[in-house]
Every structure is written in C-alpha cells, then in structure tokens.
Amino acid sequence: MLSTKLLYIPGVVLILTGIPLAFFPAWLRRSIIITLPPLLLLHMWTFSGGDIHVTWLGYKLTLLHLSSTGLLFASVFMFALWAGSLFALQDASPLELGSAFIYAGGAIGICLCADWITLFCYWELMALSSTLIVWCGKQQDSWRAGLRYLLIHLAGGVALLAGIGALAAAGGSLELGRLAPGGYAYWLILAGILLNAGAPPFSFWVADAYPQASPSGMVFLSAFTTKTAVFVLITAFAGANVLIPIGIYMAIYGIIYALLEQDIRRILAYSIVNQVGFMLVAVGVGTPDTLNGAQAHAVAHILYKMVLLMGAGVIMRSLGTTKARELGGALWHKMPWTTACILVGAAASMGVPFTSSFVTKSVVLSGLADAGMGFVWVLMLVCSATVVFNAGGRFPWLALFAPTATSAATSKVDAPKVTDPKGLALFAMLAGALLCLVIGWFPQSLYSALPHTAIYQPYTFGHILEQVQILAVAGALFWLTRRVLYPSASITLDTDWFLRVAVLRTWQWFSSGLATSYAKSIELLTSSQMRSYMLIFILHGPRGILARSWYTGSIALWVAVMLASYIILYNLNAIPGLNVLQQLLGR
Amino acid sequence: MNHLAAIQVIIPLLCAPLCMLLRWRTGAWLIATLATWATFGVSLVLARTVILNGAITYDMGGWPAPWGISYHVDILSAFVVLIVSGVAALTLAFAYKSVQREIRPESLRAFYALLLICLAGLLGIALTGDAFNIYVFLEISSLSAYALIGMGQRRRALRAAFQYLIMGTIGATFILIGIGLLYSLTGTLNIQDLASRVEMIPTSTYGNHTLITAFAFLTVGLSLKLALFPLHLWLPNAYTYAPSVVTIFLAATATKVAVYMLLRFSFCILGQRFVFEQLTLGNILLLPSLAAILVASLVAIFQYDIKRMLAYSSIAQIGYMTLGISLNSHAGLSAGILHMFNHALMKGALFMVMGAVAYRTGSVYLSDFRGLGRRMPWTMAAFVFGGLSLMGVPLTAGFISKWILLQATLEAGWWPVTAIILLGSLLAVIYIWRVVETAYFNPRHEIEHGTEEAPLSMLLPMWVLIGANIYFGIDTSIPLHMAERAATILMSGGTL
Amino acid sequence: MRAPISSAKDSVIVSKTTSRLLWIVLSMLLLGADLIWTPHAPVSHLPQIGIYMLITLTGTVVVLGVTLGLRRLLQRGEDYYAEH
C-alpha cells in the first residue's frame, strides 16, 4: 500500500504532523516536538526498505532515496528542527511551530527524494511555509518583508518549474542527478536554485526577510532554504564553473554588508550569504575534495549559525531589540551560559582549531589548492579570515561586550528578565554548541559520512600554525579598527532598492500616464460620430466605472468586426501562398 | 442499458414541470436535488460503459440515424456530461440555504424548474449526435440561463440578463446560420453524416466559400458563447449579478459545454485537417487566448467585487482551454479538455465560497472579507485551497492541467507562450492574494455582520469540491485518462 | 558644555587608531616582503608564515577599504524606505 509506505518518508511525516500541529493542545504539541524529530532521525539511519516510487502522469517519481549526501543534509536538518523547536517552545506562536515542521519537512523531503517533480512540490511548500514563519515575527516590517520574500521565491519557483518543464519536454530524464550543461532547462533550473541560495542580484532577501522573523523563527530560516539550495547544487550542478564567480561575489558581499550593518541579527544573515558563497565556490570547482568540503562545511555552518542565532534570539527576547547601538555594554555577565555558547559558536565560525569549521574549511581550502585554483584559493583564504569581521569577532563583541552608545540602553540591561534562558531552550543552545565542539574534536566521524572517500588530517602542525596566523592578523586588525567600524544608525542600500523604490516609482509614473492617455482615448471615442452611434443605445445608459462599462451595442459591433475578420482570415488562409497570418506569426 | 443516454436528458426535463406543479417549496428543492443526483448517477454509469465498451449510439424513438435524431455518446461527451451533472448535483446540495436567502419565495419553484431545464439543455448538447439538435438544446439552456440570471437580488441583474440575452441570441443565431449553411451544402444534420460528406467536398483549389463562411459563423457564435476574448464582455456582468447558485452552476458548466461544442464542430464535423491546416484555426485562436490570459488576469487584479474578479479569472482560464486547442496537438488537446474538468472543480468551489460569504455578509466586496479568516475559518480555508488550485500550485488539480499545457507548448517549441502561461499564474497569485490578505490580516469590518461560520449544508459540498481539487491533484489518472482518450478521438476526426 | 568636549575626544581616538594602524600595516608589509624575497631572513625556514600573514593582511585591508568607500556611497538614514 502506498499510503502506509508514505509514512516511511520523513519529509511527508513532518508535513503531515505540521499541518494540524498548530491546532493541537499545548501538551500534545510539546510532546510531539520533543519526541518526533529524534525518532525520525533514528528511522532515517535504520531504514532499509529501499526506494519508494510512484507513477504520476507517466513519470516515475522517486519519493524516497537515501543517498549519502542526502542523508547527511537530512540528518543535520532534522537536528536543526529539533533544537530550533525546543528553543522556540518558550514563546513561539503555534502557527510558527506548525510552519517550521512543514518547512523542515520540505527541506528533508528534498534531500531524500530523487526526481525533479517531487523536488518542485517540496520547494514550493518550503517557500510558502517559510513566508508564514517570517510573518509570525510580527515586527514592524515583517509583513512587507515577508511579501517581498514570497514574491522573489515564487518567481524563483516559476523559473524552476519552467526549467523542469523544459527538461521533460526535451525528453530528458527527470531523475535528480548531474544535469548536462547547456540548453534552456539547465539555465532555468540553475537560476531557480541559485535564487534560493541567495545569489546575486537578489542576495538581499536573506538579510531583508530573516531578521523580521521571531527570535526562534530566524533559527529555522537560517538552517533550511539556503542549505537546501546548496544540496541541490551539489547533486545537480557539481563542477559548474559559473558558480565560482557567483560564490566569490556572495562571500565578499556578505562581509562588506555585514560590516556596514548595525543590527546583530542582520549581521548574522549577511554572514549566511558569505558562507553559502564559500560553499558555492567549492561546488563550482567540483573535485571530490571540494564537494566533500562543501557538504562538511554546510553541516558545520548550520550548527554554529544556529547557536549564534539562538544567542541573538535570547538577547532579543530579553531586550526587545538587536540593534547594536541599543544593547547594553555588559550583557555577558548577565547571561554567562549564553555568552559561553555564543563564544563557542563564534570560534567555530572563524575556524579556531578544535572547533567544527576548522576541520571543514580546511577540506575546502586544501581542495581548492589541489585543484590548482591559486587565485580562488587566495580569495577564499581572505574570506575565511574576514569572518572575524562578522560572525566570528564583531558579532559577539557588539552583542555582549561593546560599550553602549546610549545611556537608555544601559538601564535596560538591569531589568530582571535579562537572564539566561531556562529549561529546553538552554538545553537546545548547549546541545548545538556541544556539537560544534564534538565535530572539532572528532572530525573523522564527520568525514566518514561524506560521499567521496578520502583521508583528511586537519590536525597537523603546519595547518594549525597557518590558521593561527590568519586569525591573529585578522583579529589584530579587527581590534584596531573596532571603533572606526562601530555601526552608525543607518541602513545600507542594496539591490532591493530596485524592488522597493525604482519599481514602485516606475509603476506610479506608468499608471498616472496610463490614466491620462486612457481618459484622452475615451474622450476621443465619445466624441462626434462615435457619440451619435452610441445615442442609439442610450437606453442602456452608462453605469459605474468607465473602464468596465460596455454597451450591449458596442459588443454587438465587436461581434460583427470579429465575424468579418474571421471570414477574411479564413479566406486568406484558404488561398495557397497567401498565408498571411502564418507569416505574421513567423511560423 | 442502452436507454441511458436518453434518460440522462429526460430526467431533469420531466422533473422541471414537477417542481412547478408542487405547492411545497422544500419539495421543489428535494425533487431538483434528487433529479440532479440521479443524472449524476446515470452519467457515472454512462462514463463507465463508454470507457469499457466504446461509444454508444442511440436512436431516438427507434428512427435510424439520417432520418431520426440519434444520440452519440463518445468519451468526450461522457466526460463533459460527468462534469456538468457532478457540478449540478453538488450545486443543488449547496443551493437550499443560499436560494432561501437570495430568491423571493414566490419564485422559488420556478427557480428550481429553470435550473433543471438549463441542466437538461447542457446535458443535451453534450449527448446529441445531431447538429440542429445541438442548437435546440443550446437555446433551451440559454433561455433558462437568462431567466435565472435575471432573478438576482440587485436590479442590475436584469440589465446583465438582458445584455447576456442579446449577446447569447446573436451567438446562437450565428451558430444556427453556420449549421444552416452546412445543411445547404450537405443536406444532412447528423454529425457523423455531416463529417463524411464534408470530407467529400473538393477543397483543393480555392477552398469552398460556403464551408468557410459557415465555419466563420460557427467560430464567432461559439466564441461568444465561450466568452473568448474580446467577446467576453457579457460574462462579468452575468456572473456578478446572478444569484450565487446560478453563478456556481453556470461558471462551472456553461462555458465548458461551449468549449465542447467548439471541439465537436471543428474536429468532428469539419475535420482537423481542414480546420487547422487550411483555415489555420490554431493561429487565429492563439492571439485571443493569450490576450484573454493576460488582459483578463490583469483586470481581475483591479476588481473590488470578488465575484466579478473570479468572473474575469474565468475568462483567463477559458483562455488556457482555447490555448490548448490552438496548439493542435494531442498533448494540447488533452490539456484543454482536462482543464475543463479541473476548472469546473476550482471555480465551482470558489464561487461556492462566494455564495457562503454572501449568505453571511450580504455582499462580496473586498471590504466584506475583512476579518473573515477568523469568523468563517472553514469557508476562508476553502477559498485558500481553491485559490491555490487556481494558481496551479503542486498537489492541486490546477497544477496538473497547467503542467500538461506547459508540456504541450514546450513540445511545440512555443517559448513565448510558455512564458505567458507562467506569467498568467503569477497574476493569479496576486488577485487571489488580495482576498487572502484582507481576510486574514486586515482588521475586522467596523460593522459586524453575521459572526458565524456558514451552515453545514453549504460547507459540505464546498469541501467535497476542495477535496476533489486535492485528490485529482495527486491521483489524476481517471480524468487524465479520459481527456487523453478524448483527444485521441478528436485528432482522428471523431470516428473511433 | 559637555558635547563639544566628548566629540573632540572621539576624534582624537580615531586619529590615534588610524596612525597606529598605519604603522602596523607598514611594518607587516616590510616583514612580509623581507620574508618572501630574502632567503637569508631570520625566520626563512618558515616562509609560510609570511605568506599567510601577508595574504590575510592585504586582503583584509582591501576589504576594509572597499567597505569604508561603500559606506559613503550606500548608507542612508534609518527611515529611508519609509520616506521613499
């Protein structure tokens, strides 16, 4: 039976529980959230039933296929869902939790399916449910940012669908796998996926929408959308060289915009773009080493970014703001556990030895060097060093240690609710931080889960020395320039300016122009002869808005015109050699 | 068993006067409901028989074909009959409360009688195998539809009905002229007979002018009935001002039957080679279809009366169907035919939502939807799902037909057309979104109307349709199979 | 009377930091150049040290420079979008 088989698919189970989750009584929701993700994780690793197929419209769809890459991503997604929803239980709305389950179900579904049509279904589901999460943020700009986010992702979905359609029309296999370069299908699908990865020129949506979510909402958002895109890129576009410049752009963009940002959660959002750019470069180079590295780094990145965002979420819950200028200077002694977790996460983000991204970044960088990409290697080295200027150094400094800009902020810190989180939320944060360290200590356990077998030794004297030099120089520069780069109360223009200002202005200009020209043409139509014609039908009088008022007689006139033109066209076409319309249409 | 085709039309036709004769108003509804469910049952059996055993031919009164009227039921007819009677059955179940509210009590019985006559006409068009009979049934269904629209609550309903009457009559007259010209040319009215004699007319040199003129009259007349752009202008008014139940019924059935007639005339009588290769109907239909998709969707975005917005969206959706036909390929035809079914599902559900909202709040302006997300959760949830299907989101019926249509355009290599289809679905996102936004995110209306959910008798049929939207979005094998077989028959000239 | 004093103090800090920064950059560059081009340099058995530090240094300085340049170009008041 297919319906029972569907319950073997973790993504489907999550989606099916996510839909009613918002309506369940609190105790039931709580127990589902605590137990279901670990059970599904266990199920994924022990399942041995083989692939699940269905036939739909004559296409063979593979709903479940456990590849090593997919399993790795799905597992870390499942952990992110678990930790994120434990963190969220404290104050997230039921709707947000339900949406998060559907959202994670979509992401996990994509990792464990093996054809483009199923992927597209999950893809759209992710777009919708993640928009709901943004709206659940209920901040000042959540609503509009969510709309912009939805608009962009729906457009991306259309590109993806068109690409899949083209793939099917060209008779290509719809199995999820490496796509042959060239053709409409390839570029449309690539465009649709890249949009979700936060590629230029739409990189702005990450920092535009994510920080508008609730403290816990952003934890979910940061984990799934961009990393799912990375997963699909690894599966279908490994070695596509066009990804290298795009990734470099994203990596540098993320650094620069984070430096100009005053909101600590937006800094983290830009840091996501920066790190995804790093992964894109690795995928673009496409050697087994860099692909391994991209996957390992995606895992590490999801984990440490989750910890950092939970830290930022704790600050937001206690102070109600995340603008650096409004945070009190000495938060660190008010919330020691949070501080510890943020510091672990920050160390992991910079790649301090014995943390997660030290062991994963080195795989990428050495892979780049081995592939003979000297220039790219240098750029990526700089990018990984400058992480100190966003997630690694600047974020904890601004969040916890920097002296405050206003005295009003200092008094806020003394409020009694400014404390560490308790219970499950604290557990979730600690678990994330612990995983960042465990991966750093036991890298071989992560390496063994990677698809391409190879032996990596991160802990050599040379490598540690190299990383220490990089961090020392970058850290020293950060410390020296920290005051010059102290954020001002401002925003930075991005390509979303076109969406938010230019398009709106053009539309206003266009619609006012349209209105005048329309009024003029109506004037023309209702004058002289036209008016006398319409007098016959004065019986029916004008009604309501001009644009919609059509006289019965004028419709009859249309009918006559149509009839005449049809007769002429048919006759023209019936004469051989005079096939006018066909030539007009160029067919 | 063989009488099924005739019984199908006779049931509603005979029950209509019964409705009038009864003094008991609920009884009228009961009879109408029973009649529609009976026709639906018959249509299911009919569809099963046709799928298993192939086409059925039934001679009325035992007179053989060229002299008597014969009914010819192939898979396309069975498919259309299934749509029409299924929607009618659900609409009647929905109608009880809504009609009580919207129709004056003294005309209740006439209302149900007219509805049954309209149903009989629509079923007759799909079942009959005689060209003139098609015209007769067309008039039966149209005349009753004018009267039904005129029963709307607002005074404008009368104007809308009058406008539709004029337009519909012009259309029907054109169709009659077309049929008359065909008759003068061939001397027969039986569709199969017509087809074989048209084939024998030599069209080698300059084409046959009578035939061409006949076809021109037919296409213009049918375009009017179809509400194909730019002859759609009667439709928004008619749908907006008609009583809710009438809008549900007509939106989900009437234009579909017109599409059916277009298919029947151009593929089965005149033949695909003549119509498409010589007259290039494909090219001529293409531009109005694309214009319908774009213009009607854009206009829909700016409507404040939501019923009117959905009416414009119907015009756009008809554009998808004719686009499928204009492709002149098996895939395109299947897409067009399948979209008839899927569009009936989604528009039926959406207009039922309108009916339920009108039942509680009295009108369906955008401002009436404020806060409805909380006050009528089930109704608005139905709107969201219906809207998703209209946009063509995966796992809904709308996605299937759009996907097949996309495939067909790509197969033909019409890239710009593909882009327009996708653009059309993005526009649908916008106009559906406006309503959802108002219902869920805007503050409540200052005036508190009824604060309850719609009654169960309305919710149930609505959710049956929504369920069908989702079910046929996942397991589409039955309608798709029928649509594909119908397309095969049409492509081979209707002889299979 | 307080405001002018504090702003003067701020400007002193900035200029001091900048000058300090310049000194460090200069000396690092010198050290780096020395390490790359002169094999008899004091720590030449560890040439990698210089290369990594140099790349990090120049790269980071370039990025910071670009950032400061863009800051002029792209930064607007907080309510920019509300006004436009």
Side-chain angles (χ1 to χ4, degrees), chain B residues 334-462:
Chain B
S334 322
I337 296 169
L338 186 66
H339 198 52
M340 283 161 63
F341 179 78
N342 290 340
H343 181 243
L345 293 184
M346 54 204 182
K347 267 298 148 55
L350 286 174
F351 276 119
M352 278 187 187
V353 171
M354 292 303 117
V357 172
Y359 183 75
R360 283 292 179 215
T361 66
S363 67
V364 285
Y365 278 99
L366 189 60
S367 56
D368 293 317
F369 282 80
R370 276 191 276 171
L372 274 198
R374 248 156 288 144
R375 280 190 285 138
M376 301 175 77
W378 286 98
T379 312
M380 286 321 292
F383 186 87
V384 171
F385 279 108
L388 288 176
S389 189
L390 192 67
M391 297 171 203
V393 171
L395 302 183
T396 60
F399 176 68
I400 308 281
S401 35
K402 230 161 246 178
W403 171 259
I404 298 176
L405 191 60
L406 278 180
Q407 288 295 301
T409 54
L410 289 170
E411 206 176 79
W414 294 6
W415 272 96
V417 177
T418 316
I420 288 177
I421 295 173
L422 291 172
L423 187 64
S425 47
L426 273 187
L427 291 174
V429 174
I430 298 177
Y431 59 72
I432 291 296
W433 180 251
R434 285 169 68 232
V435 181
V436 175
E437 179 189 352
T438 317
Y440 285 94
F441 300 100
N442 274 24
R444 286 177 175 218
H445 205 291
E446 312 85 67
I447 318 155
E448 287 287 322
H449 299 293
T451 45
E452 297 164 85
E453 180 54 88
L456 193 66
S457 74
M458 290 182 152
L459 284 179
L460 220 57
M462 191 192 297

Side-chain angles (χ1 to χ4, degrees), chain A residues 56-57 59 120-121 135 143 162 165-166 169 184 540 543 548 550 552 555 563 566-567 570-571 573 581 587, chain B residues 159 163 167 209 215-216 219 237 278 280-281 283-284 303 394 400 407 410 414-415 433 437 474 476 480:
Chain A
W56 179 87
L57 289 186
Y59 301 108
F120 178 74
C121 294
W135 282 335
W143 171 243
Y184 287 113
H540 314 302
R543 108 200 103 73
R548 325 280 179 255
W550 281 90
T552 316
I555 310 178
L563 180 68
Y566 273 28
I567 292 181
Y570 287 156
N571 273 306
N573 287 323
L581 205 84
R587 286 167 41 208
Chain B
R159 260 203 91 247
Q163 197 177 38
M167 289 303 107
H209 287 292
F215 189 61
T219 27
N237 280 337
Q278 206 161 4
T280 59
L281 178 71
N283 291 344
I284 293 171
Q303 296 302 318
I400 308 281
Q407 288 295 301
L410 289 170
W414 294 6
W415 272 96
W433 180 251
E437 179 189 352
I474 295 168
T476 190
L480 184 68

